[in-house]
Amino acid sequence: MKETENAQDNNLLKQKELLYRLMISQLEYDGQTALAAQLAVAVQAAADPPCPPSDRLLHICTIGLQHEPDRRHSLPLMPGLNPVQEILIGPGLDLEFETDIECSAPEPAQYETAYVTSHKGNCRAGAFSMDGQLVATGSVDASIKILDVDRMLAKSCPDGIESSGTEGQGHPVIRTLYDHLEEVTCLEFHPREPILVSGSRDFTIKMFDYAKASVKKAFKTITDADQIRCMSFHPTGDYLVVGTNHSVIRLYDANTAQCFVCSVPKHQHQATITSVKYSANAKYFGSSSRDGSIKLWDGVSNRCINTFEKAHDGAEVCSVLFTRNGKYLLSSGKDSSVKLWELSTSRLLISYTGAGTTGKQEHRAQAVFNHTEDFVMFPDEATTSLCAWNSRNASRCQLLSLGHNGPVRLIVHSPHTAAFLTCSDDFRARFWYKRLVTH
């Protein structure tokens, strides 16, 4: 009996030590090195090596919260986030209540390339899964790759360091899909199911069940009347809003493939759709077009409720993206500017300028937030570098050379961690990551 109690005590002590190490490593990862050092001294863990990058602390918190239903339901929760995500990455951008807030996340210039994958043609499509554990890339060669984030990190870890549980897991590319006839233009992960949806210049939308290791072909194909350019899942995964070379936005029932369009023709854009995005609470979806306008659509009635004409001084609008709370819309245009719009007042709040100083850009590029919405990120076409700004005051951050040998055609940030993906006409996709600070 005594030996059993001692074994249990030793096991509990080891678990506590691991938890402290994970907490210290998370603090260092978030840039709180002073706090991490203080905690290490307080728990007598200063001599222990920091943990390699992993989501173990996140999983531990998730399991713990599942056993505390009262606490879970009482947490202040933004639409689209579970309680653990809300705690770890904060509530996001809210300029109504914020004054001078220090950024807790690392600046994008601190990220490093963790993995590079290559296609046989220009790489112009990419996406993160909702949990941030997978990325997908698509190419002009009509192929799609799905890569495991933990495996990419394990491959790029310094010698002698392996992420927990990743040793011997194999190649980061876990699926390669071939079912399109032409360029893959856009990719979206289903918010709840192991399904990847792709759009192509071959006029089709395809759905792949990547849970099956042998999958190569789609289990469902939706054929449109024009080339697919962009799409976005409804947060429930039941609907898919789609933009094509045509000016009319389509709304597909993801289960039945039935197509809906707005019943008021004058609500539609006047040119090719360049971007569509749902808000996290599904109240709205936004769209942008070559006609230079941004439109806000009611998520239930599918009708346009607001239009921002000449949003980028008449230039083509390239991307739209809602903040997590749904109060603001981030847009980018071919005038190389990025803008933040307040939806309740229909006014321009902030312009993020200084990118593309060498002239008008040729290709569309996306403006994105980092996972905490502390920073706005936008690739500069001429220099193949990443421009970043403080999202609240538009102050410029340090540039990051993206290392591509061609224009960056897509940038997408992880929803939960300091990681992003860049896809380029040099046939490559680069996975960028901010590692833990090691001493």
PDB file of all heavy atoms in Angstrom, residues 189-218:
ATOM      1  N   PHE A 189     -11.555  24.319 -45.625  1.00  0.00           N
ATOM      2  CA  PHE A 189     -11.845  23.174 -44.765  1.00  0.00           C
ATOM      3  C   PHE A 189     -13.247  23.328 -44.174  1.00  0.00           C
ATOM      4  O   PHE A 189     -13.641  24.432 -43.782  1.00  0.00           O
ATOM      5  CB  PHE A 189     -10.838  23.076 -43.621  1.00  0.00           C
ATOM      6  CG  PHE A 189      -9.514  22.481 -44.003  1.00  0.00           C
ATOM      7  CD1 PHE A 189      -8.459  23.298 -44.400  1.00  0.00           C
ATOM      8  CD2 PHE A 189      -9.312  21.113 -43.971  1.00  0.00           C
ATOM      9  CE1 PHE A 189      -7.231  22.757 -44.747  1.00  0.00           C
ATOM     10  CE2 PHE A 189      -8.094  20.556 -44.313  1.00  0.00           C
ATOM     11  CZ  PHE A 189      -7.050  21.381 -44.702  1.00  0.00           C
ATOM     12  N   HIS A 190     -13.960  22.224 -44.116  1.00  0.00           N
ATOM     13  CA  HIS A 190     -15.265  22.215 -43.448  1.00  0.00           C
ATOM     14  C   HIS A 190     -15.044  22.538 -41.975  1.00  0.00           C
ATOM     15  O   HIS A 190     -14.093  22.063 -41.359  1.00  0.00           O
ATOM     16  CB  HIS A 190     -15.906  20.833 -43.596  1.00  0.00           C
ATOM     17  CG  HIS A 190     -17.337  20.777 -43.199  1.00  0.00           C
ATOM     18  ND1 HIS A 190     -17.748  20.781 -41.874  1.00  0.00           N
ATOM     19  CD2 HIS A 190     -18.473  20.713 -43.955  1.00  0.00           C
ATOM     20  CE1 HIS A 190     -19.074  20.716 -41.835  1.00  0.00           C
ATOM     21  NE2 HIS A 190     -19.536  20.674 -43.067  1.00  0.00           N
ATOM     22  N   PRO A 191     -15.898  23.378 -41.374  1.00  0.00           N
ATOM     23  CA  PRO A 191     -15.679  23.780 -39.976  1.00  0.00           C
ATOM     24  C   PRO A 191     -15.872  22.673 -38.951  1.00  0.00           C
ATOM     25  O   PRO A 191     -15.410  22.796 -37.818  1.00  0.00           O
ATOM     26  CB  PRO A 191     -16.701  24.904 -39.759  1.00  0.00           C
ATOM     27  CG  PRO A 191     -17.727  24.709 -40.815  1.00  0.00           C
ATOM     28  CD  PRO A 191     -17.027  24.091 -41.983  1.00  0.00           C
ATOM     29  N   ARG A 192     -16.530  21.553 -39.334  1.00  0.00           N
ATOM     30  CA  ARG A 192     -16.814  20.512 -38.347  1.00  0.00           C
ATOM     31  C   ARG A 192     -16.424  19.108 -38.787  1.00  0.00           C
ATOM     32  O   ARG A 192     -16.154  18.251 -37.939  1.00  0.00           O
ATOM     33  CB  ARG A 192     -18.316  20.523 -38.006  1.00  0.00           C
ATOM     34  CG  ARG A 192     -18.775  21.805 -37.325  1.00  0.00           C
ATOM     35  CD  ARG A 192     -20.232  21.732 -36.934  1.00  0.00           C
ATOM     36  NE  ARG A 192     -20.661  22.949 -36.251  1.00  0.00           N
ATOM     37  CZ  ARG A 192     -21.882  23.160 -35.785  1.00  0.00           C
ATOM     38  NH1 ARG A 192     -22.799  22.216 -35.930  1.00  0.00           N
ATOM     39  NH2 ARG A 192     -22.194  24.285 -35.176  1.00  0.00           N
ATOM     40  N   GLU A 193     -16.426  18.854 -40.072  1.00  0.00           N
ATOM     41  CA  GLU A 193     -16.180  17.514 -40.584  1.00  0.00           C
ATOM     42  C   GLU A 193     -14.817  17.434 -41.280  1.00  0.00           C
ATOM     43  O   GLU A 193     -14.282  18.452 -41.731  1.00  0.00           O
ATOM     44  CB  GLU A 193     -17.277  17.111 -41.583  1.00  0.00           C
ATOM     45  CG  GLU A 193     -18.692  17.201 -41.038  1.00  0.00           C
ATOM     46  CD  GLU A 193     -18.964  16.194 -39.946  1.00  0.00           C
ATOM     47  OE1 GLU A 193     -18.279  15.155 -39.909  1.00  0.00           O
ATOM     48  OE2 GLU A 193     -19.871  16.451 -39.128  1.00  0.00           O
ATOM     49  N   PRO A 194     -14.237  16.229 -41.396  1.00  0.00           N
ATOM     50  CA  PRO A 194     -12.954  16.072 -42.101  1.00  0.00           C
ATOM     51  C   PRO A 194     -13.147  16.128 -43.616  1.00  0.00           C
ATOM     52  O   PRO A 194     -12.947  15.146 -44.338  1.00  0.00           O
ATOM     53  CB  PRO A 194     -12.462  14.696 -41.631  1.00  0.00           C
ATOM     54  CG  PRO A 194     -13.714  13.942 -41.348  1.00  0.00           C
ATOM     55  CD  PRO A 194     -14.694  14.950 -40.803  1.00  0.00           C
ATOM     56  N   ILE A 195     -13.573  17.301 -44.076  1.00  0.00           N
ATOM     57  CA  ILE A 195     -13.870  17.503 -45.495  1.00  0.00           C
ATOM     58  C   ILE A 195     -13.111  18.728 -45.992  1.00  0.00           C
ATOM     59  O   ILE A 195     -13.124  19.783 -45.344  1.00  0.00           O
ATOM     60  CB  ILE A 195     -15.387  17.694 -45.721  1.00  0.00           C
ATOM     61  CG1 ILE A 195     -16.151  16.419 -45.347  1.00  0.00           C
ATOM     62  CG2 ILE A 195     -15.679  18.102 -47.155  1.00  0.00           C
ATOM     63  CD1 ILE A 195     -17.656  16.600 -45.314  1.00  0.00           C
ATOM     64  N   LEU A 196     -12.449  18.584 -47.113  1.00  0.00           N
ATOM     65  CA  LEU A 196     -11.789  19.696 -47.781  1.00  0.00           C
ATOM     66  C   LEU A 196     -12.551  19.994 -49.069  1.00  0.00           C
ATOM     67  O   LEU A 196     -12.847  19.088 -49.849  1.00  0.00           O
ATOM     68  CB  LEU A 196     -10.334  19.362 -48.104  1.00  0.00           C
ATOM     69  CG  LEU A 196      -9.551  20.452 -48.847  1.00  0.00           C
ATOM     70  CD1 LEU A 196      -9.333  21.667 -47.950  1.00  0.00           C
ATOM     71  CD2 LEU A 196      -8.218  19.918 -49.363  1.00  0.00           C
ATOM     72  N   VAL A 197     -12.863  21.275 -49.280  1.00  0.00           N
ATOM     73  CA  VAL A 197     -13.581  21.690 -50.485  1.00  0.00           C
ATOM     74  C   VAL A 197     -12.647  22.527 -51.350  1.00  0.00           C
ATOM     75  O   VAL A 197     -11.939  23.407 -50.845  1.00  0.00           O
ATOM     76  CB  VAL A 197     -14.848  22.491 -50.129  1.00  0.00           C
ATOM     77  CG1 VAL A 197     -15.589  22.924 -51.386  1.00  0.00           C
ATOM     78  CG2 VAL A 197     -15.770  21.662 -49.253  1.00  0.00           C
ATOM     79  N   SER A 198     -12.655  22.253 -52.644  1.00  0.00           N
ATOM     80  CA  SER A 198     -11.788  22.971 -53.573  1.00  0.00           C
ATOM     81  C   SER A 198     -12.606  23.553 -54.714  1.00  0.00           C
ATOM     82  O   SER A 198     -13.623  22.999 -55.128  1.00  0.00           O
ATOM     83  CB  SER A 198     -10.718  22.025 -54.142  1.00  0.00           C
ATOM     84  OG  SER A 198     -11.330  20.936 -54.811  1.00  0.00           O
ATOM     85  N   GLY A 199     -12.151  24.708 -55.221  1.00  0.00           N
ATOM     86  CA  GLY A 199     -12.748  25.322 -56.403  1.00  0.00           C
ATOM     87  C   GLY A 199     -11.701  25.420 -57.491  1.00  0.00           C
ATOM     88  O   GLY A 199     -10.508  25.532 -57.208  1.00  0.00           O
ATOM     89  N   SER A 200     -12.144  25.405 -58.745  1.00  0.00           N
ATOM     90  CA  SER A 200     -11.187  25.325 -59.846  1.00  0.00           C
ATOM     91  C   SER A 200     -11.656  26.109 -61.068  1.00  0.00           C
ATOM     92  O   SER A 200     -12.840  26.453 -61.203  1.00  0.00           O
ATOM     93  CB  SER A 200     -10.957  23.861 -60.228  1.00  0.00           C
ATOM     94  OG  SER A 200     -10.219  23.731 -61.420  1.00  0.00           O
ATOM     95  N   ARG A 201     -10.707  26.334 -61.951  1.00  0.00           N
ATOM     96  CA  ARG A 201     -11.019  26.940 -63.241  1.00  0.00           C
ATOM     97  C   ARG A 201     -11.774  25.975 -64.149  1.00  0.00           C
ATOM     98  O   ARG A 201     -12.227  26.361 -65.230  1.00  0.00           O
ATOM     99  CB  ARG A 201      -9.742  27.402 -63.942  1.00  0.00           C
ATOM    100  CG  ARG A 201      -9.096  28.636 -63.320  1.00  0.00           C
ATOM    101  CD  ARG A 201      -7.907  29.106 -64.138  1.00  0.00           C
ATOM    102  NE  ARG A 201      -7.266  30.258 -63.541  1.00  0.00           N
ATOM    103  CZ  ARG A 201      -7.615  31.530 -63.766  1.00  0.00           C
ATOM    104  NH1 ARG A 201      -8.622  31.792 -64.597  1.00  0.00           N
ATOM    105  NH2 ARG A 201      -6.989  32.527 -63.196  1.00  0.00           N
ATOM    106  N   ASP A 202     -11.886  24.718 -63.727  1.00  0.00           N
ATOM    107  CA  ASP A 202     -12.636  23.742 -64.530  1.00  0.00           C
ATOM    108  C   ASP A 202     -14.142  23.783 -64.250  1.00  0.00           C
ATOM    109  O   ASP A 202     -14.876  22.876 -64.625  1.00  0.00           O
ATOM    110  CB  ASP A 202     -12.085  22.329 -64.334  1.00  0.00           C
ATOM    111  CG  ASP A 202     -12.261  21.805 -62.900  1.00  0.00           C
ATOM    112  OD1 ASP A 202     -12.974  22.450 -62.104  1.00  0.00           O
ATOM    113  OD2 ASP A 202     -11.666  20.765 -62.569  1.00  0.00           O
ATOM    114  N   PHE A 203     -14.586  24.866 -63.571  1.00  0.00           N
ATOM    115  CA  PHE A 203     -16.005  25.134 -63.311  1.00  0.00           C
ATOM    116  C   PHE A 203     -16.580  24.239 -62.216  1.00  0.00           C
ATOM    117  O   PHE A 203     -17.801  24.206 -62.035  1.00  0.00           O
ATOM    118  CB  PHE A 203     -16.866  24.948 -64.579  1.00  0.00           C
ATOM    119  CG  PHE A 203     -16.642  25.963 -65.674  1.00  0.00           C
ATOM    120  CD1 PHE A 203     -15.403  26.509 -65.907  1.00  0.00           C
ATOM    121  CD2 PHE A 203     -17.704  26.370 -66.484  1.00  0.00           C
ATOM    122  CE1 PHE A 203     -15.188  27.433 -66.924  1.00  0.00           C
ATOM    123  CE2 PHE A 203     -17.513  27.302 -67.506  1.00  0.00           C
ATOM    124  CZ  PHE A 203     -16.249  27.839 -67.721  1.00  0.00           C
ATOM    125  N   THR A 204     -15.745  23.527 -61.469  1.00  0.00           N
ATOM    126  CA  THR A 204     -16.286  22.604 -60.464  1.00  0.00           C
ATOM    127  C   THR A 204     -15.841  22.952 -59.052  1.00  0.00           C
ATOM    128  O   THR A 204     -14.773  23.526 -58.839  1.00  0.00           O
ATOM    129  CB  THR A 204     -15.872  21.146 -60.746  1.00  0.00           C
ATOM    130  OG1 THR A 204     -14.461  21.018 -60.596  1.00  0.00           O
ATOM    131  CG2 THR A 204     -16.308  20.710 -62.125  1.00  0.00           C
ATOM    132  N   ILE A 205     -16.700  22.566 -58.109  1.00  0.00           N
ATOM    133  CA  ILE A 205     -16.392  22.571 -56.684  1.00  0.00           C
ATOM    134  C   ILE A 205     -16.383  21.112 -56.248  1.00  0.00           C
ATOM    135  O   ILE A 205     -17.332  20.376 -56.539  1.00  0.00           O
ATOM    136  CB  ILE A 205     -17.461  23.347 -55.890  1.00  0.00           C
ATOM    137  CG1 ILE A 205     -17.533  24.801 -56.362  1.00  0.00           C
ATOM    138  CG2 ILE A 205     -17.191  23.274 -54.392  1.00  0.00           C
ATOM    139  CD1 ILE A 205     -18.805  25.512 -55.923  1.00  0.00           C
ATOM    140  N   LYS A 206     -15.332  20.693 -55.582  1.00  0.00           N
ATOM    141  CA  LYS A 206     -15.211  19.288 -55.203  1.00  0.00           C
ATOM    142  C   LYS A 206     -15.028  19.148 -53.689  1.00  0.00           C
ATOM    143  O   LYS A 206     -14.350  19.961 -53.069  1.00  0.00           O
ATOM    144  CB  LYS A 206     -14.060  18.618 -55.944  1.00  0.00           C
ATOM    145  CG  LYS A 206     -14.331  18.473 -57.448  1.00  0.00           C
ATOM    146  CD  LYS A 206     -13.253  17.722 -58.168  1.00  0.00           C
ATOM    147  CE  LYS A 206     -13.589  17.587 -59.658  1.00  0.00           C
ATOM    148  NZ  LYS A 206     -14.647  16.596 -59.917  1.00  0.00           N
ATOM    149  N   MET A 207     -15.612  18.103 -53.133  1.00  0.00           N
ATOM    150  CA  MET A 207     -15.534  17.825 -51.704  1.00  0.00           C
ATOM    151  C   MET A 207     -14.798  16.503 -51.485  1.00  0.00           C
ATOM    152  O   MET A 207     -15.192  15.477 -52.040  1.00  0.00           O
ATOM    153  CB  MET A 207     -16.929  17.759 -51.084  1.00  0.00           C
ATOM    154  CG  MET A 207     -17.709  19.061 -51.221  1.00  0.00           C
ATOM    155  SD  MET A 207     -19.277  19.018 -50.321  1.00  0.00           S
ATOM    156  CE  MET A 207     -19.925  20.654 -50.709  1.00  0.00           C
ATOM    157  N   PHE A 208     -13.743  16.550 -50.677  1.00  0.00           N
ATOM    158  CA  PHE A 208     -12.920  15.375 -50.401  1.00  0.00           C
ATOM    159  C   PHE A 208     -13.034  14.977 -48.935  1.00  0.00           C
ATOM    160  O   PHE A 208     -12.949  15.838 -48.052  1.00  0.00           O
ATOM    161  CB  PHE A 208     -11.443  15.668 -50.702  1.00  0.00           C
ATOM    162  CG  PHE A 208     -11.152  16.045 -52.130  1.00  0.00           C
ATOM    163  CD1 PHE A 208     -11.239  17.368 -52.537  1.00  0.00           C
ATOM    164  CD2 PHE A 208     -10.786  15.090 -53.055  1.00  0.00           C
ATOM    165  CE1 PHE A 208     -10.966  17.735 -53.842  1.00  0.00           C
ATOM    166  CE2 PHE A 208     -10.508  15.436 -54.371  1.00  0.00           C
ATOM    167  CZ  PHE A 208     -10.596  16.757 -54.770  1.00  0.00           C
ATOM    168  N   ASP A 209     -13.196  13.703 -48.673  1.00  0.00           N
ATOM    169  CA  ASP A 209     -13.178  13.175 -47.307  1.00  0.00           C
ATOM    170  C   ASP A 209     -11.746  12.744 -46.993  1.00  0.00           C
ATOM    171  O   ASP A 209     -11.337  11.627 -47.315  1.00  0.00           O
ATOM    172  CB  ASP A 209     -14.135  11.988 -47.194  1.00  0.00           C
ATOM    173  CG  ASP A 209     -14.178  11.399 -45.783  1.00  0.00           C
ATOM    174  OD1 ASP A 209     -13.452  11.922 -44.900  1.00  0.00           O
ATOM    175  OD2 ASP A 209     -14.909  10.424 -45.573  1.00  0.00           O
ATOM    176  N   TYR A 210     -10.986  13.635 -46.356  1.00  0.00           N
ATOM    177  CA  TYR A 210      -9.565  13.339 -46.138  1.00  0.00           C
ATOM    178  C   TYR A 210      -9.333  12.428 -44.930  1.00  0.00           C
ATOM    179  O   TYR A 210      -8.192  12.070 -44.636  1.00  0.00           O
ATOM    180  CB  TYR A 210      -8.753  14.631 -46.007  1.00  0.00           C
ATOM    181  CG  TYR A 210      -9.151  15.556 -44.884  1.00  0.00           C
ATOM    182  CD1 TYR A 210      -8.721  15.331 -43.585  1.00  0.00           C
ATOM    183  CD2 TYR A 210      -9.933  16.677 -45.127  1.00  0.00           C
ATOM    184  CE1 TYR A 210      -9.075  16.189 -42.554  1.00  0.00           C
ATOM    185  CE2 TYR A 210     -10.292  17.549 -44.108  1.00  0.00           C
ATOM    186  CZ  TYR A 210      -9.861  17.297 -42.825  1.00  0.00           C
ATOM    187  OH  TYR A 210     -10.216  18.150 -41.803  1.00  0.00           O
ATOM    188  N   ALA A 211     -10.396  12.028 -44.236  1.00  0.00           N
ATOM    189  CA  ALA A 211     -10.236  11.062 -43.144  1.00  0.00           C
ATOM    190  C   ALA A 211      -9.846   9.686 -43.694  1.00  0.00           C
ATOM    191  O   ALA A 211      -9.263   8.874 -42.973  1.00  0.00           O
ATOM    192  CB  ALA A 211     -11.522  10.955 -42.334  1.00  0.00           C
ATOM    193  N   LYS A 212     -10.156   9.445 -44.959  1.00  0.00           N
ATOM    194  CA  LYS A 212      -9.814   8.180 -45.596  1.00  0.00           C
ATOM    195  C   LYS A 212      -8.424   8.285 -46.210  1.00  0.00           C
ATOM    196  O   LYS A 212      -8.184   9.115 -47.074  1.00  0.00           O
ATOM    197  CB  LYS A 212     -10.849   7.838 -46.664  1.00  0.00           C
ATOM    198  CG  LYS A 212     -12.260   7.683 -46.114  1.00  0.00           C
ATOM    199  CD  LYS A 212     -13.271   7.460 -47.216  1.00  0.00           C
ATOM    200  CE  LYS A 212     -14.683   7.325 -46.656  1.00  0.00           C
ATOM    201  NZ  LYS A 212     -15.705   7.166 -47.720  1.00  0.00           N
ATOM    202  N   ALA A 213      -7.523   7.407 -45.772  1.00  0.00           N
ATOM    203  CA  ALA A 213      -6.120   7.491 -46.199  1.00  0.00           C
ATOM    204  C   ALA A 213      -5.958   7.260 -47.697  1.00  0.00           C
ATOM    205  O   ALA A 213      -5.020   7.783 -48.303  1.00  0.00           O
ATOM    206  CB  ALA A 213      -5.288   6.467 -45.434  1.00  0.00           C
ATOM    207  N   SER A 214      -6.852   6.519 -48.294  1.00  0.00           N
ATOM    208  CA  SER A 214      -6.710   6.179 -49.709  1.00  0.00           C
ATOM    209  C   SER A 214      -7.415   7.156 -50.641  1.00  0.00           C
ATOM    210  O   SER A 214      -7.408   6.966 -51.866  1.00  0.00           O
ATOM    211  CB  SER A 214      -7.263   4.767 -49.967  1.00  0.00           C
ATOM    212  OG  SER A 214      -8.640   4.713 -49.616  1.00  0.00           O
ATOM    213  N   VAL A 215      -8.007   8.197 -50.088  1.00  0.00           N
ATOM    214  CA  VAL A 215      -8.810   9.100 -50.920  1.00  0.00           C
ATOM    215  C   VAL A 215      -7.945   9.843 -51.935  1.00  0.00           C
ATOM    216  O   VAL A 215      -6.875  10.344 -51.620  1.00  0.00           O
ATOM    217  CB  VAL A 215      -9.596  10.101 -50.044  1.00  0.00           C
ATOM    218  CG1 VAL A 215      -8.662  11.070 -49.316  1.00  0.00           C
ATOM    219  CG2 VAL A 215     -10.585  10.896 -50.884  1.00  0.00           C
ATOM    220  N   LYS A 216      -8.391   9.854 -53.167  1.00  0.00           N
ATOM    221  CA  LYS A 216      -7.758  10.628 -54.234  1.00  0.00           C
ATOM    222  C   LYS A 216      -8.791  11.484 -54.964  1.00  0.00           C
ATOM    223  O   LYS A 216      -8.477  12.552 -55.469  1.00  0.00           O
ATOM    224  CB  LYS A 216      -7.086   9.690 -55.255  1.00  0.00           C
ATOM    225  CG  LYS A 216      -5.939   8.867 -54.709  1.00  0.00           C
ATOM    226  CD  LYS A 216      -4.703   9.712 -54.459  1.00  0.00           C
ATOM    227  CE  LYS A 216      -3.538   8.848 -53.997  1.00  0.00           C
ATOM    228  NZ  LYS A 216      -2.352   9.662 -53.653  1.00  0.00           N
ATOM    229  N   LYS A 217     -10.015  10.963 -54.998  1.00  0.00           N
ATOM    230  CA  LYS A 217     -11.086  11.618 -55.735  1.00  0.00           C
ATOM    231  C   LYS A 217     -12.134  12.180 -54.778  1.00  0.00           C
ATOM    232  O   LYS A 217     -12.263  11.749 -53.633  1.00  0.00           O
ATOM    233  CB  LYS A 217     -11.756  10.624 -56.696  1.00  0.00           C
ATOM    234  CG  LYS A 217     -10.809   9.972 -57.685  1.00  0.00           C
ATOM    235  CD  LYS A 217     -10.257  10.973 -58.678  1.00  0.00           C
ATOM    236  CE  LYS A 217      -9.379  10.301 -59.720  1.00  0.00           C
ATOM    237  NZ  LYS A 217      -8.817  11.263 -60.689  1.00  0.00           N
ATOM    238  N   ALA A 218     -12.900  13.146 -55.279  1.00  0.00           N
ATOM    239  CA  ALA A 218     -13.947  13.777 -54.480  1.00  0.00           C
ATOM    240  C   ALA A 218     -15.153  12.853 -54.348  1.00  0.00           C
ATOM    241  O   ALA A 218     -15.451  12.069 -55.247  1.00  0.00           O
ATOM    242  CB  ALA A 218     -14.364  15.089 -55.126  1.00  0.00           C
TER     243      ALA A 218
END
